Amino acid sequence: MLLGIAVISVLLLLIMITKFKMNPFVTLMIVSVFMGVAAGMPFTKIVDAIQAGMGNTLGFIALVLGLGTMLGKMLEESGGAERVAKTLISAFGEKKVHWAMMIVAFIVGIPVFFQVGLVLLIPLVFTIAKETGISLLKVGLPLVAGLSTVHGLVPPHPAAMAAVDIFHADIGKTIFYSLIVGLPTACLSGPMFASFISKRMPNLPVPEVFIDQVKAGRRDEDMPGFGITVLTIMMPVILMMLGTVADLTMSKTTYLYSFLKFLGSPFMSLLIALLFAFVTFGFARNFKMEQISKFCDQSLPAMAGILMVIGAGGAFNKVLLESGVGTEIAKMASAMNVNPIVMGWTIAAMIRVATGSATVSMMAAAGIVAPIVANLPGVSKELLVLAVGSGSLVASHVNDAGFWIVKEYFGMTVPQTLKTWTVLETILSVSALVFILLLSQIV
């Protein structure tokens, strides 16, 4: 009965979001209450579970999201993203510029959201396409592939960080594995697919509404150096990896171990990187503290809606667990001998296709699959994070905001967007699953 209630709750969630276009946060709150009541939980326990689930999730994610968003804003205002892009394009040359765009997106996408990264880098795509005559799709699709891969797989992106928290995975290992899986995935779905599909699609012009963005951009002296920009962007990842190295190589009783674990915590690594960015992207670019503070203030409102959805996803997960559904699902999965990596990917993929939200699907799938891990020793929790992350990216279509953003920026029709962006996301998701399963044979 509990499993039936859980299925009805998820279906209710999907119907309310897709058919009735209800706000995901409100929908998750309603479904959480419905799940608790239907499962026979005491009313006070339902309220406590929702508050605890939301509070525990946001207590971790709000810090990461806030600091990461500020870091992305500093990258934007300083011209750091443009510096990385221009340097790599110069190194790769015109014929391989689509490979350069994928690498740019992969690096720049680490501290910023997909939408932010697209807005930052799309003017560069327009400029390159205009100046070189290369297809807009051949230059632009590797960009969105790189951004989408990092968005779904690589911490410290919020949904990936939330999944790390839900699975109690090691952050450093997750980052390491995500790079092993993410780079070949981005190559397949980005430059390789772009080279194939661009020959079979019309050579799209830069959309008229964005024509004013085709410009030379900042002068060379107005941007930070390439090395210092990459160091600033990668600092959170480097510090988190140090924490993992300490786990693998040091005694847990030493001072150095505790210090490196402190530096490698998501909160401290992002805080240190942001303070470092105040210097490299701020003071070094002649911004005063007042301007830097203004940039930070401007970055925060955009994350409010994302925070609420993530928190509500945490509340729904907590109700699922407190009602006993998690235990029942774990028992069922154990009896069926289902590969939890495939299960995590499949659940996330189904919710993604139905709701269009990578964040909702990743959070819900992580909450459902997490209890299974306790009963199945030997399964890598880090790979489970990647499994639900890759599943949450599959088959973006008309119910996904990202679908419409890509459509408008590239000036495509809906059928053209389905043939390019939707196929790209599916290749990305499925190939990531294949690489995760291969990696699971080793780790």
Side-chain angles (χ1 to χ4, degrees):
M1 191 177 77
L2 277 175
L3 291 176
I5 293 168
V7 170
I8 292 170
S9 297
V10 173
L11 289 175
L12 184 62
L13 174 72
L14 304 183
I15 291 169
M16 290 171 73
I17 292 176
T18 56
K19 185 172 179 61
F20 297 104
K21 311 299 180 187
M22 284 191 68
N23 178 277
F25 169 72
V26 176
T27 304
L28 281 163
M29 288 289 96
I30 293 171
V31 171
S32 297
V33 173
F34 170 81
M35 177 70 219
V37 172
M41 291 173 62
F43 294 123
T44 53
K45 192 175 180 181
I46 295 171
V47 174
D48 290 343
I50 291 172
Q51 290 178 346
M54 189 157 190
N56 292 341
T57 303
L58 290 183
F60 175 70
I61 291 298
L63 292 171
V64 173
L65 183 54
L67 293 170
T69 303
M70 291 179 186
L71 181 59
K73 182 66 173 178
M74 293 302 300
L75 177 68
E76 173 191 358
E77 295 293 343
S78 67
E82 191 174 342
R83 165 65 75 191
V84 172
K86 287 187 172 181
T87 302
L88 289 179
I89 288 165
S90 175
F92 276 76
E94 202 172 284
K95 289 185 178 179
K96 296 181 179 178
V97 71
H98 54 308
W99 286 93
M101 290 309 299
M102 187 272 288
I103 294 172
V104 167
F106 206 94
I107 295 173
V108 172
I110 287 174
V112 302
F113 288 112
F114 173 83
Q115 293 90 337
V116 175
L118 182 59
V119 171
L120 287 180
L121 297 176
I122 198 68
L124 191 62
V125 171
F126 294 154
T127 302
I128 293 168
K130 189 78 170 178
E131 291 180 355
T132 63
I134 298 173
S135 165
L136 185 64
L137 291 175
K138 187 174 181 178
V139 181
L141 290 179
L143 173 76
V144 293
L147 290 172
S148 186
T149 301
V150 175
H151 178 79
L153 297 181
V154 184
H157 274 274
M161 289 299 287
V164 166
D165 190 43
I166 291 170
F167 284 115
H168 302 294
D170 181 272
I171 180 65
K173 286 182 182 177
T174 305
I175 292 173
F176 180 60
Y177 295 159
S178 71
L179 295 177
I180 294 175
V181 170
L183 283 169
T185 295
C187 290
L188 281 173
S189 59
M192 292 182 182
F193 173 66
S195 297
F196 170 81
I197 197 66
S198 61
K199 297 173 184 176
R200 292 157 177 80
M201 299 286 287
N203 195 347
L204 303 171
V206 176
E208 286 294 326
V209 68
F210 300 120
I211 201 70
D212 62 329
Q213 296 189 30
V214 181
K215 54 187 177 183
R218 295 175 175 87
R219 295 176 301 170
D220 201 60
E221 58 268 26
D222 293 333
M223 296 180 286
F226 176 75
I228 197 67
T229 300
V230 173
L231 176 62
T232 306
I233 294 169
M234 295 299 291
M235 184 166 285
V237 176
I238 293 169
L239 291 174
M240 290 180 199
M241 292 292 287
L242 280 178
T244 298
V245 170
D247 263 334
L248 298 174
T249 62
M250 295 181 186
S251 168
K252 293 178 172 54
T253 59
T254 63
Y255 175 81
L256 182 58
Y257 169 82
S258 61
F259 180 67
L260 289 178
K261 289 296 289 181
F262 171 70
L263 292 182
S265 66
F267 163 65
M268 279 308 302
S269 59
L270 279 165
L271 178 60
I272 291 168
L274 179 61
L275 295 176
F276 190 63
F278 284 174
V279 178
T280 58
F281 292 163
F283 300 135
R285 309 313 312 155
N286 299 316
F287 290 124
K288 292 183 171 57
M289 194 66 229
E290 184 181 354
Q291 291 172 287
I292 293 173
S293 296
K294 186 178 180 182
F295 296 152
C296 292
D297 291 342
Q298 290 171 345
S299 70
L300 293 177
M303 74 181 213
I306 297 166
L307 269 179
M308 297 306 286
V309 170
I310 290 175
F316 183 48
N317 291 339
K318 185 69 171 176
V319 172
L320 281 171
L321 292 174
E322 292 291 329
S323 68
V325 170
T327 305
E328 291 299 317
I329 293 174
K331 288 179 182 176
M332 181 183 71
S334 298
M336 293 172 62
N337 197 26
V338 176
N339 184 324
I341 290 175
V342 175
M343 174 182 282
W345 184 92
T346 303
I347 293 171
M350 289 189 297
I351 299 173
R352 156 68 162 186
V353 170
T355 67
S357 172
T359 300
V360 169
S361 57
M362 195 169 181
M363 291 286 295
I368 291 169
V369 176
I372 299 170
V373 181
N375 297 332
L376 295 176
V379 178
S380 168
K381 297 175 184 178
E382 294 76 25
L383 293 186
L384 283 169
V385 173
L386 302 189
V388 298
S390 57
S392 74
L393 298 175
V394 75
S396 168
H397 59 97
V398 293
N399 63 353
D400 177 21
F403 177 93
W404 299 104
I405 292 170
V406 171
K407 173 190 176 298
E408 293 303 315
Y409 269 107
F410 286 82
M412 294 186 287
T413 63
V414 168
Q416 287 173 336
T417 312
L418 289 168
K419 292 175 185 175
T420 53
W421 166 250
T422 303
V423 174
L424 180 155
E425 285 282 85
T426 304
I427 293 171
L428 192 164
S429 179
V430 173
S431 58
L433 174 62
V434 172
F435 289 126
I436 292 165
L437 290 171
L438 290 174
L439 189 57
S440 72
Q441 301 303 306
I442 302 170
V443 302

